[in-house]
């Protein structure tokens, strides 16, 4: 089972890499069997990515990174937010991939930023990008602002997103049943609407409503 993290963090240490590591650990815990975890640090590939645009050929390190990404059973992509969107380095890496390279591949999108105001970057930038590449993007994206580290909520989002990614990978653990449904419990049959009611709401004939207005 091959799980690949693509991190576009620029600093060392990097909150972007930290978020990628936490997502990877949570996902690996949901997958049965051995997990081959690879991390692609884009800052180490910046020069080769630029050269690929000018000469059309990937260098050795970039070629190895592309091979890892395109052969992954599951992909976690994490970018810092620059100018209310993904970083240029992040976008450039995915621009050098073949347009069909990620088709059908499970992808978990994540981002980091200095403020929670940029959280919608997941929906207006990352999700459309990977939808265009025809990847299968998990429903839950994870955004971590500076104030989120150590605060309530981030760990839960990480676990939920990791579970969704693992469920799409081979040998992934199925998503848990809702807490209200326990093993061996009897099926609950919805009550039928009472006469004179539709979908549980009382229906007042139009004539009665009109008569009430005239009264």
């Amino acid at each position: 089972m091959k799980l690949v993290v693509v991190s576009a963090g620029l600093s060392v240490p990097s909150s972007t890499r930290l978020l990628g590591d936490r997502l990877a650990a949570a996902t690996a815990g949901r997958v049965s069997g051995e997990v081959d975890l690879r991390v692609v640090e884009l800052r180490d590939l910046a020069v080769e990515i630029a050269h690929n645009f000018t000469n059309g050929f990937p260098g050795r390190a970039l070629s190895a990174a592309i091979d890892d990404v395109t052969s992954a059973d599951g992909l976690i992509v994490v970018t810092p937010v620059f100018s209310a969107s993904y970083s240029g380095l992040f976008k450039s890496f995915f621009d050098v991939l073949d347009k069909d390279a990620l088709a059908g591949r499970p992808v978990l999108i994540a981002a980091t930023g200095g403020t929670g105001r940029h959280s919608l970057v997941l929906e207006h930038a990352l999700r459309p990008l990977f939808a265009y590449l025809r990847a299968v993007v998990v429903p839950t994206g994870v955004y971590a602002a500076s104030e989120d580290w150590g605060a309530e909520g981030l760990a839960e989002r990480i676990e939920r997103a990791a579970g969704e990614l693992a469920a799409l990978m081979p040998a992934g653990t199925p998503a848990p049943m809702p807490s209200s449904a326990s093993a061996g419990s009897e099926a609950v049959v919805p009550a039928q609407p009472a006469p004179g009611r539709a979908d549980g709401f009382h229906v007042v004939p139009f004539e009665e409503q009109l008569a009430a207005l005239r009264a």
Side-chain angles (χ1 to χ4, degrees):
M1 186 71 56
K2 188 172 185 179
L3 177 63
V4 177
V5 178
V6 176
S7 171
L10 299 179
S11 60
V12 180
S14 165
S15 61
T16 302
R17 171 63 187 271
L18 176 60
L19 180 57
D21 288 344
R22 290 186 61 178
L23 288 165
T27 302
R30 299 293 192 94
V31 177
S32 61
E34 186 176 351
V35 176
D36 178 12
L37 176 61
R38 309 285 181 92
V39 179
V40 176
E41 286 278 11
L42 295 186
R43 70 170 181 271
D44 298 332
L45 302 173
V47 173
E48 290 194 21
I49 291 172
H51 286 170
N52 189 92
F53 282 111
T54 58
N55 61 29
F57 297 98
R60 182 176 299 177
L62 178 57
S63 181
I66 292 173
D67 288 343
D68 280 339
V69 168
T70 56
S71 63
D73 295 300
L75 190 61
I76 298 171
V77 299
V78 195
T79 178
V81 175
F82 290 163
S83 301
S85 187
Y86 38 62
S87 72
L89 180 60
F90 181 86
K91 179 62 162 57
S92 295
F93 174 73
F94 290 100
D95 281 344
V96 304
L97 298 184
D98 182 89
K99 64 181 180 64
D100 297 320
L102 299 184
R105 200 166 309 281
V107 176
L108 191 167
I109 56 174
T112 58
T115 172
R117 290 178 296 175
H118 292 305
S119 60
L120 286 178
V121 69
L122 297 171
E123 305 304 325
H124 74 70
L126 273 78
R127 196 175 296 277
L129 171 62
F130 289 96
Y132 172 78
L133 295 173
R134 294 188 291 126
V136 180
V137 185
V138 303
T140 301
V142 180
Y143 178 83
S146 298
E147 63 267 21
D148 289 329
W149 298 100
E152 294 183 1
L154 179 59
E156 288 76 9
R157 296 198 303 274
I158 288 173
E159 289 296 332
R160 183 167 63 248
E164 293 168 355
L165 179 61
L168 294 174
M169 296 170 62
T173 303
M177 293 291 291
S179 57
S180 59
S182 58
S185 61
E186 296 182 359
V188 178
V189 179
Q192 297 298 317
R197 301 175 69 89
D199 296 330
F201 294 95
H202 181 62
V203 179
V204 178
F206 178 71
E207 296 88 328
E208 292 183 16
Q209 298 182 49
L210 188 60
L213 291 175
R214 290 173 176 171

